[in-house]
Amino acid sequence: ETIAYDVWDNPVDYVLEEDRLADGTVDNRIRSTAGFDEHGNVLQATFEADSGAAGADQRATLIREVDGAGNELRTTYEEDFQADGVVDTRVVDDSTRNARGLLALEVTTYDTDADGTPDSIVRQAFSYDRRGRPVTRVLELDSDADGTIDFRELESRALDLRGELVLYRIEYDSG
């Protein structure tokens, strides 16, 4: 196991090698690399798995865009199951913040065959009280990305004046 760090002590390169038969030959290798901004936010990462130590068998990449406060704006995750340079699946997560910097909306699109057309979409909207405490979360799932909501979940909280939870409720609607 080897780990390399950047000047801010962030792990930028990690390699784990396994010699199952203790014969001096690497049987499996896992490698991850990461890039950070000056605030320690991961902006990109790559993960590779190599069975037989003959070259990567599987590769995944993560690309993050953040605002000046380090809040996530967009994350793109791609997986290449055969490590042949062809993306096999893609997940994109877009986040929107309210004026106070709190997460207001998160939309995740799943493109399970990486053909550029979303296969499903999950939308979550969040609201907060005056003190920034979460009050509601609405999750909507469009399981086949046809524009029709197939499942909805409403989570709500009520707090007393001290901020103690007095009511927690989840409602479901599956179409």
Side-chain angles (χ1 to χ4, degrees):
E1 177 179 71
T2 59
I3 303 173
Y5 298 89
D6 65 12
V7 296
W8 296 290
D9 209 26
N10 296 308
V12 294
D13 196 2
Y14 170 81
V15 178
L16 176 64
E17 294 179 335
E18 182 180 54
D19 178 2
R20 289 187 186 167
L21 302 175
D23 60 1
T25 302
V26 174
D27 299 304
N28 296 303
R29 179 178 294 118
I30 296 172
R31 182 175 188 190
S32 66
T33 60
F36 298 82
D37 67 10
E38 64 275 11
H39 304 292
N41 297 304
V42 175
L43 298 181
Q44 62 82 22
T46 302
F47 309 93
E48 292 180 345
D50 177 5
S51 303
D57 302 317
Q58 184 176 6
R59 182 174 293 119
T61 59
L62 178 79
I63 307 266
R64 290 183 69 230
E65 297 172 35
V66 297
D67 64 16
N71 295 314
E72 183 177 301
L73 300 173
R74 171 175 272 206
T75 298
T76 303
Y77 175 80
E78 297 177 334
E79 213 164 330
D80 176 358
F81 298 130
Q82 291 80 34
D84 57 5
V86 177
V87 174
D88 297 301
T89 189
R90 180 178 293 115
V91 178
V92 178
D93 188 62
D94 288 302
S95 300
T96 304
R97 304 263 164 192
N98 65 20
R100 294 169 58 194
L102 300 171
L103 183 61
L105 179 65
E106 184 175 72
V107 178
T108 306
T109 57
Y110 297 87
D111 184 359
T112 57
D113 52 7
D115 65 356
T117 302
D119 298 301
S120 63
I121 301 170
V122 175
R123 179 183 184 277
Q124 293 188 83
F126 304 88
S127 68
Y128 306 87
D129 67 12
R130 314 179 272 140
R131 295 182 178 166
R133 298 175 298 205
V135 177
T136 62
R137 178 183 65 93
V138 178
L139 178 142
E140 296 176 332
L141 168 64
D142 180 353
S143 62
D144 50 7
D146 65 355
T148 301
I149 302 303
D150 302 299
F151 176 81
R152 179 177 286 115
E153 176 181 287
L154 169 63
E155 179 181 348
S156 56
R157 294 175 178 84
L159 307 173
D160 65 18
L161 295 174
R162 294 179 312 221
E164 300 291 324
L165 183 67
V166 293
L167 176 68
Y168 179 78
R169 187 163 131 178
I170 297 181
E171 300 173 35
Y172 301 99
D173 180 4
S174 57

PDB file of all heavy atoms in Angstrom, residues 51-79:
ATOM      1  N   SER A  51      -7.601  -6.798 -11.941  1.00  0.00           N
ATOM      2  CA  SER A  51      -7.464  -8.205 -11.548  1.00  0.00           C
ATOM      3  C   SER A  51      -6.427  -8.841 -12.455  1.00  0.00           C
ATOM      4  O   SER A  51      -6.514  -8.733 -13.669  1.00  0.00           O
ATOM      5  CB  SER A  51      -8.777  -8.963 -11.714  1.00  0.00           C
ATOM      6  OG  SER A  51      -9.785  -8.366 -10.978  1.00  0.00           O
ATOM      7  N   GLY A  52      -5.462  -9.493 -11.873  1.00  0.00           N
ATOM      8  CA  GLY A  52      -4.427 -10.137 -12.661  1.00  0.00           C
ATOM      9  C   GLY A  52      -3.266  -9.216 -12.989  1.00  0.00           C
ATOM     10  O   GLY A  52      -2.311  -9.637 -13.620  1.00  0.00           O
ATOM     11  N   ALA A  53      -3.360  -7.956 -12.583  1.00  0.00           N
ATOM     12  CA  ALA A  53      -2.281  -6.985 -12.773  1.00  0.00           C
ATOM     13  C   ALA A  53      -1.805  -6.921 -14.214  1.00  0.00           C
ATOM     14  O   ALA A  53      -0.625  -6.814 -14.498  1.00  0.00           O
ATOM     15  CB  ALA A  53      -1.123  -7.283 -11.814  1.00  0.00           C
ATOM     16  N   ALA A  54      -2.750  -6.989 -15.144  1.00  0.00           N
ATOM     17  CA  ALA A  54      -2.408  -6.913 -16.570  1.00  0.00           C
ATOM     18  C   ALA A  54      -2.938  -5.631 -17.191  1.00  0.00           C
ATOM     19  O   ALA A  54      -3.000  -5.506 -18.407  1.00  0.00           O
ATOM     20  CB  ALA A  54      -2.985  -8.130 -17.293  1.00  0.00           C
ATOM     21  N   GLY A  55      -3.344  -4.700 -16.391  1.00  0.00           N
ATOM     22  CA  GLY A  55      -3.959  -3.459 -16.866  1.00  0.00           C
ATOM     23  C   GLY A  55      -5.340  -3.328 -16.276  1.00  0.00           C
ATOM     24  O   GLY A  55      -5.968  -4.327 -15.900  1.00  0.00           O
ATOM     25  N   ALA A  56      -5.829  -2.111 -16.194  1.00  0.00           N
ATOM     26  CA  ALA A  56      -7.120  -1.854 -15.539  1.00  0.00           C
ATOM     27  C   ALA A  56      -8.246  -2.652 -16.189  1.00  0.00           C
ATOM     28  O   ALA A  56      -8.353  -2.721 -17.413  1.00  0.00           O
ATOM     29  CB  ALA A  56      -7.442  -0.375 -15.576  1.00  0.00           C
ATOM     30  N   ASP A  57      -9.081  -3.275 -15.354  1.00  0.00           N
ATOM     31  CA  ASP A  57     -10.262  -4.015 -15.808  1.00  0.00           C
ATOM     32  C   ASP A  57     -11.516  -3.162 -15.703  1.00  0.00           C
ATOM     33  O   ASP A  57     -12.500  -3.416 -16.379  1.00  0.00           O
ATOM     34  CB  ASP A  57     -10.492  -5.263 -14.939  1.00  0.00           C
ATOM     35  CG  ASP A  57      -9.310  -6.190 -14.931  1.00  0.00           C
ATOM     36  OD1 ASP A  57      -8.729  -6.422 -16.002  1.00  0.00           O
ATOM     37  OD2 ASP A  57      -8.958  -6.676 -13.842  1.00  0.00           O
ATOM     38  N   GLN A  58     -11.483  -2.189 -14.816  1.00  0.00           N
ATOM     39  CA  GLN A  58     -12.642  -1.344 -14.559  1.00  0.00           C
ATOM     40  C   GLN A  58     -12.135   0.027 -14.128  1.00  0.00           C
ATOM     41  O   GLN A  58     -11.144   0.137 -13.416  1.00  0.00           O
ATOM     42  CB  GLN A  58     -13.498  -1.960 -13.457  1.00  0.00           C
ATOM     43  CG  GLN A  58     -14.760  -1.216 -13.183  1.00  0.00           C
ATOM     44  CD  GLN A  58     -15.613  -1.933 -12.130  1.00  0.00           C
ATOM     45  OE1 GLN A  58     -15.198  -2.917 -11.548  1.00  0.00           O
ATOM     46  NE2 GLN A  58     -16.785  -1.430 -11.904  1.00  0.00           N
ATOM     47  N   ARG A  59     -12.841   1.076 -14.589  1.00  0.00           N
ATOM     48  CA  ARG A  59     -12.415   2.428 -14.260  1.00  0.00           C
ATOM     49  C   ARG A  59     -13.656   3.268 -13.965  1.00  0.00           C
ATOM     50  O   ARG A  59     -14.674   3.145 -14.641  1.00  0.00           O
ATOM     51  CB  ARG A  59     -11.653   3.022 -15.434  1.00  0.00           C
ATOM     52  CG  ARG A  59     -11.112   4.403 -15.188  1.00  0.00           C
ATOM     53  CD  ARG A  59     -10.227   4.894 -16.344  1.00  0.00           C
ATOM     54  NE  ARG A  59      -9.010   4.091 -16.419  1.00  0.00           N
ATOM     55  CZ  ARG A  59      -8.651   3.348 -17.465  1.00  0.00           C
ATOM     56  NH1 ARG A  59      -9.397   3.296 -18.539  1.00  0.00           N
ATOM     57  NH2 ARG A  59      -7.527   2.661 -17.446  1.00  0.00           N
ATOM     58  N   ALA A  60     -13.539   4.134 -12.983  1.00  0.00           N
ATOM     59  CA  ALA A  60     -14.611   5.074 -12.655  1.00  0.00           C
ATOM     60  C   ALA A  60     -13.979   6.446 -12.457  1.00  0.00           C
ATOM     61  O   ALA A  60     -12.865   6.551 -11.934  1.00  0.00           O
ATOM     62  CB  ALA A  60     -15.355   4.640 -11.404  1.00  0.00           C
ATOM     63  N   THR A  61     -14.691   7.474 -12.899  1.00  0.00           N
ATOM     64  CA  THR A  61     -14.198   8.834 -12.711  1.00  0.00           C
ATOM     65  C   THR A  61     -15.283   9.687 -12.074  1.00  0.00           C
ATOM     66  O   THR A  61     -16.475   9.456 -12.282  1.00  0.00           O
ATOM     67  CB  THR A  61     -13.760   9.498 -14.033  1.00  0.00           C
ATOM     68  OG1 THR A  61     -14.872   9.528 -14.915  1.00  0.00           O
ATOM     69  CG2 THR A  61     -12.616   8.756 -14.671  1.00  0.00           C
ATOM     70  N   LEU A  62     -14.837  10.646 -11.304  1.00  0.00           N
ATOM     71  CA  LEU A  62     -15.719  11.578 -10.621  1.00  0.00           C
ATOM     72  C   LEU A  62     -15.185  12.981 -10.885  1.00  0.00           C
ATOM     73  O   LEU A  62     -14.001  13.243 -10.678  1.00  0.00           O
ATOM     74  CB  LEU A  62     -15.710  11.293  -9.116  1.00  0.00           C
ATOM     75  CG  LEU A  62     -16.540  12.203  -8.237  1.00  0.00           C
ATOM     76  CD1 LEU A  62     -18.002  11.789  -8.318  1.00  0.00           C
ATOM     77  CD2 LEU A  62     -16.060  12.134  -6.805  1.00  0.00           C
ATOM     78  N   ILE A  63     -16.060  13.855 -11.364  1.00  0.00           N
ATOM     79  CA  ILE A  63     -15.694  15.251 -11.595  1.00  0.00           C
ATOM     80  C   ILE A  63     -16.677  16.103 -10.803  1.00  0.00           C
ATOM     81  O   ILE A  63     -17.889  15.923 -10.936  1.00  0.00           O
ATOM     82  CB  ILE A  63     -15.802  15.635 -13.081  1.00  0.00           C
ATOM     83  CG1 ILE A  63     -15.028  14.669 -13.953  1.00  0.00           C
ATOM     84  CG2 ILE A  63     -15.414  17.091 -13.286  1.00  0.00           C
ATOM     85  CD1 ILE A  63     -13.654  15.027 -14.309  1.00  0.00           C
ATOM     86  N   ARG A  64     -16.179  17.007  -9.961  1.00  0.00           N
ATOM     87  CA  ARG A  64     -17.034  17.871  -9.134  1.00  0.00           C
ATOM     88  C   ARG A  64     -16.774  19.324  -9.461  1.00  0.00           C
ATOM     89  O   ARG A  64     -15.627  19.734  -9.620  1.00  0.00           O
ATOM     90  CB  ARG A  64     -16.745  17.652  -7.648  1.00  0.00           C
ATOM     91  CG  ARG A  64     -17.198  16.326  -7.131  1.00  0.00           C
ATOM     92  CD  ARG A  64     -16.951  16.177  -5.637  1.00  0.00           C
ATOM     93  NE  ARG A  64     -17.828  17.054  -4.878  1.00  0.00           N
ATOM     94  CZ  ARG A  64     -17.417  17.880  -3.925  1.00  0.00           C
ATOM     95  NH1 ARG A  64     -16.162  17.948  -3.583  1.00  0.00           N
ATOM     96  NH2 ARG A  64     -18.271  18.637  -3.273  1.00  0.00           N
ATOM     97  N   GLU A  65     -17.841  20.082  -9.534  1.00  0.00           N
ATOM     98  CA  GLU A  65     -17.754  21.537  -9.639  1.00  0.00           C
ATOM     99  C   GLU A  65     -18.324  22.099  -8.344  1.00  0.00           C
ATOM    100  O   GLU A  65     -19.388  21.686  -7.908  1.00  0.00           O
ATOM    101  CB  GLU A  65     -18.573  22.037 -10.826  1.00  0.00           C
ATOM    102  CG  GLU A  65     -18.090  21.528 -12.165  1.00  0.00           C
ATOM    103  CD  GLU A  65     -19.038  21.882 -13.291  1.00  0.00           C
ATOM    104  OE1 GLU A  65     -19.651  22.976 -13.243  1.00  0.00           O
ATOM    105  OE2 GLU A  65     -19.177  21.071 -14.211  1.00  0.00           O
ATOM    106  N   VAL A  66     -17.584  23.028  -7.743  1.00  0.00           N
ATOM    107  CA  VAL A  66     -18.014  23.635  -6.482  1.00  0.00           C
ATOM    108  C   VAL A  66     -17.989  25.153  -6.617  1.00  0.00           C
ATOM    109  O   VAL A  66     -17.299  25.706  -7.473  1.00  0.00           O
ATOM    110  CB  VAL A  66     -17.122  23.195  -5.295  1.00  0.00           C
ATOM    111  CG1 VAL A  66     -17.217  21.698  -5.065  1.00  0.00           C
ATOM    112  CG2 VAL A  66     -15.682  23.607  -5.507  1.00  0.00           C
ATOM    113  N   ASP A  67     -18.759  25.819  -5.770  1.00  0.00           N
ATOM    114  CA  ASP A  67     -18.737  27.282  -5.749  1.00  0.00           C
ATOM    115  C   ASP A  67     -17.620  27.750  -4.817  1.00  0.00           C
ATOM    116  O   ASP A  67     -16.873  26.942  -4.262  1.00  0.00           O
ATOM    117  CB  ASP A  67     -20.109  27.855  -5.365  1.00  0.00           C
ATOM    118  CG  ASP A  67     -20.557  27.490  -3.958  1.00  0.00           C
ATOM    119  OD1 ASP A  67     -19.717  27.055  -3.134  1.00  0.00           O
ATOM    120  OD2 ASP A  67     -21.757  27.649  -3.671  1.00  0.00           O
ATOM    121  N   GLY A  68     -17.498  29.052  -4.633  1.00  0.00           N
ATOM    122  CA  GLY A  68     -16.437  29.614  -3.808  1.00  0.00           C
ATOM    123  C   GLY A  68     -16.472  29.176  -2.362  1.00  0.00           C
ATOM    124  O   GLY A  68     -15.455  29.183  -1.673  1.00  0.00           O
ATOM    125  N   ALA A  69     -17.648  28.760  -1.874  1.00  0.00           N
ATOM    126  CA  ALA A  69     -17.775  28.286  -0.495  1.00  0.00           C
ATOM    127  C   ALA A  69     -17.552  26.783  -0.390  1.00  0.00           C
ATOM    128  O   ALA A  69     -17.659  26.207   0.687  1.00  0.00           O
ATOM    129  CB  ALA A  69     -19.158  28.649   0.054  1.00  0.00           C
ATOM    130  N   GLY A  70     -17.256  26.129  -1.518  1.00  0.00           N
ATOM    131  CA  GLY A  70     -17.032  24.685  -1.504  1.00  0.00           C
ATOM    132  C   GLY A  70     -18.301  23.874  -1.649  1.00  0.00           C
ATOM    133  O   GLY A  70     -18.263  22.652  -1.558  1.00  0.00           O
ATOM    134  N   ASN A  71     -19.431  24.538  -1.906  1.00  0.00           N
ATOM    135  CA  ASN A  71     -20.695  23.816  -2.083  1.00  0.00           C
ATOM    136  C   ASN A  71     -20.724  23.166  -3.460  1.00  0.00           C
ATOM    137  O   ASN A  71     -20.367  23.786  -4.462  1.00  0.00           O
ATOM    138  CB  ASN A  71     -21.887  24.773  -1.963  1.00  0.00           C
ATOM    139  CG  ASN A  71     -22.007  25.355  -0.587  1.00  0.00           C
ATOM    140  OD1 ASN A  71     -21.914  24.648   0.407  1.00  0.00           O
ATOM    141  ND2 ASN A  71     -22.204  26.658  -0.518  1.00  0.00           N
ATOM    142  N   GLU A  72     -21.172  21.951  -3.476  1.00  0.00           N
ATOM    143  CA  GLU A  72     -21.254  21.204  -4.725  1.00  0.00           C
ATOM    144  C   GLU A  72     -22.295  21.822  -5.661  1.00  0.00           C
ATOM    145  O   GLU A  72     -23.426  22.091  -5.261  1.00  0.00           O
ATOM    146  CB  GLU A  72     -21.651  19.767  -4.387  1.00  0.00           C
ATOM    147  CG  GLU A  72     -21.711  18.844  -5.548  1.00  0.00           C
ATOM    148  CD  GLU A  72     -22.033  17.437  -5.094  1.00  0.00           C
ATOM    149  OE1 GLU A  72     -21.268  16.878  -4.294  1.00  0.00           O
ATOM    150  OE2 GLU A  72     -23.065  16.919  -5.536  1.00  0.00           O
ATOM    151  N   LEU A  73     -21.897  22.071  -6.900  1.00  0.00           N
ATOM    152  CA  LEU A  73     -22.813  22.550  -7.929  1.00  0.00           C
ATOM    153  C   LEU A  73     -23.189  21.426  -8.887  1.00  0.00           C
ATOM    154  O   LEU A  73     -24.342  21.271  -9.253  1.00  0.00           O
ATOM    155  CB  LEU A  73     -22.174  23.701  -8.723  1.00  0.00           C
ATOM    156  CG  LEU A  73     -21.792  24.931  -7.917  1.00  0.00           C
ATOM    157  CD1 LEU A  73     -21.016  25.912  -8.783  1.00  0.00           C
ATOM    158  CD2 LEU A  73     -23.039  25.575  -7.331  1.00  0.00           C
ATOM    159  N   ARG A  74     -22.189  20.649  -9.286  1.00  0.00           N
ATOM    160  CA  ARG A  74     -22.425  19.529 -10.193  1.00  0.00           C
ATOM    161  C   ARG A  74     -21.395  18.447  -9.914  1.00  0.00           C
ATOM    162  O   ARG A  74     -20.224  18.722  -9.696  1.00  0.00           O
ATOM    163  CB  ARG A  74     -22.320  19.969 -11.644  1.00  0.00           C
ATOM    164  CG  ARG A  74     -22.346  18.780 -12.625  1.00  0.00           C
ATOM    165  CD  ARG A  74     -22.374  19.236 -14.045  1.00  0.00           C
ATOM    166  NE  ARG A  74     -23.791  19.411 -14.368  1.00  0.00           N
ATOM    167  CZ  ARG A  74     -24.269  19.328 -15.587  1.00  0.00           C
ATOM    168  NH1 ARG A  74     -23.483  19.129 -16.606  1.00  0.00           N
ATOM    169  NH2 ARG A  74     -25.561  19.472 -15.794  1.00  0.00           N
ATOM    170  N   THR A  75     -21.873  17.219  -9.921  1.00  0.00           N
ATOM    171  CA  THR A  75     -20.991  16.068  -9.825  1.00  0.00           C
ATOM    172  C   THR A  75     -21.345  15.125 -10.959  1.00  0.00           C
ATOM    173  O   THR A  75     -22.515  14.814 -11.168  1.00  0.00           O
ATOM    174  CB  THR A  75     -21.159  15.340  -8.470  1.00  0.00           C
ATOM    175  OG1 THR A  75     -20.808  16.243  -7.419  1.00  0.00           O
ATOM    176  CG2 THR A  75     -20.272  14.112  -8.391  1.00  0.00           C
ATOM    177  N   THR A  76     -20.332  14.695 -11.685  1.00  0.00           N
ATOM    178  CA  THR A  76     -20.520  13.728 -12.758  1.00  0.00           C
ATOM    179  C   THR A  76     -19.721  12.481 -12.416  1.00  0.00           C
ATOM    180  O   THR A  76     -18.517  12.565 -12.158  1.00  0.00           O
ATOM    181  CB  THR A  76     -20.054  14.292 -14.115  1.00  0.00           C
ATOM    182  OG1 THR A  76     -20.769  15.500 -14.378  1.00  0.00           O
ATOM    183  CG2 THR A  76     -20.298  13.301 -15.233  1.00  0.00           C
ATOM    184  N   TYR A  77     -20.401  11.348 -12.395  1.00  0.00           N
ATOM    185  CA  TYR A  77     -19.770  10.065 -12.116  1.00  0.00           C
ATOM    186  C   TYR A  77     -19.933   9.193 -13.350  1.00  0.00           C
ATOM    187  O   TYR A  77     -21.052   9.027 -13.855  1.00  0.00           O
ATOM    188  CB  TYR A  77     -20.434   9.402 -10.895  1.00  0.00           C
ATOM    189  CG  TYR A  77     -19.923   8.016 -10.615  1.00  0.00           C
ATOM    190  CD1 TYR A  77     -18.716   7.824  -9.951  1.00  0.00           C
ATOM    191  CD2 TYR A  77     -20.640   6.893 -11.011  1.00  0.00           C
ATOM    192  CE1 TYR A  77     -18.235   6.556  -9.691  1.00  0.00           C
ATOM    193  CE2 TYR A  77     -20.166   5.613 -10.746  1.00  0.00           C
ATOM    194  CZ  TYR A  77     -18.959   5.451 -10.093  1.00  0.00           C
ATOM    195  OH  TYR A  77     -18.490   4.197  -9.849  1.00  0.00           O
ATOM    196  N   GLU A  78     -18.833   8.681 -13.858  1.00  0.00           N
ATOM    197  CA  GLU A  78     -18.876   7.812 -15.030  1.00  0.00           C
ATOM    198  C   GLU A  78     -18.149   6.512 -14.724  1.00  0.00           C
ATOM    199  O   GLU A  78     -17.121   6.521 -14.052  1.00  0.00           O
ATOM    200  CB  GLU A  78     -18.220   8.487 -16.237  1.00  0.00           C
ATOM    201  CG  GLU A  78     -18.938   9.732 -16.674  1.00  0.00           C
ATOM    202  CD  GLU A  78     -18.261  10.444 -17.825  1.00  0.00           C
ATOM    203  OE1 GLU A  78     -17.027  10.305 -17.989  1.00  0.00           O
ATOM    204  OE2 GLU A  78     -18.975  11.142 -18.553  1.00  0.00           O
ATOM    205  N   GLU A  79     -18.696   5.438 -15.252  1.00  0.00           N
ATOM    206  CA  GLU A  79     -18.072   4.142 -15.047  1.00  0.00           C
ATOM    207  C   GLU A  79     -17.824   3.472 -16.391  1.00  0.00           C
ATOM    208  O   GLU A  79     -18.674   3.488 -17.279  1.00  0.00           O
ATOM    209  CB  GLU A  79     -18.948   3.253 -14.164  1.00  0.00           C
ATOM    210  CG  GLU A  79     -18.112   2.349 -13.326  1.00  0.00           C
ATOM    211  CD  GLU A  79     -18.849   1.725 -12.164  1.00  0.00           C
ATOM    212  OE1 GLU A  79     -19.786   2.322 -11.626  1.00  0.00           O
ATOM    213  OE2 GLU A  79     -18.450   0.613 -11.808  1.00  0.00           O
TER     214      GLU A  79
END
